Amino acid sequence: MNIAEFQRNMKDAYLEKDAKRGVMGTYAWLVEEVGELSRALRKGDDVALSEEFADVLAWLVSLANLCGIDVEQAMTKYRDGCPRCRQVPCTCSEKP
Ligand SMILES: [Zn+2]
């Protein structure tokens, strides 16, 4: 399954519920899942980690559906490497 198929699956499964919850309610769930990812990272539990990555990605893509964002199209920002320095690998300094 590629990212476009994943986004379509999330849309088919969850768009109706997501729309009822709204953008900020769905964003709150994404943040909650990011918190769970943080806990899995600290524990070093590989099975939990894989599930948390899936959950964060699912909520992120659900939020994109609500906002009318095509994630495959959005990803093209990084198609040619770092969008700032245009290098692969990135040669930007860590300072903003
Ligand atoms: Zn860079």
Side-chain angles (χ1 to χ4, degrees), residues 73-84 88:
Q73 199 284 324
M75 281 167 36
T76 62
K77 178 179 181 181
Y78 289 90
R79 182 182 47 209
D80 300 321
C82 175
R84 245 171 90 200
V88 179

Side-chain angles (χ1 to χ4, degrees), residues 82 84-87 90-92:
C82 175
R84 245 171 90 200
C85 67
R86 305 258 173 224
Q87 300 297 310
C90 169
T91 57
C92 295

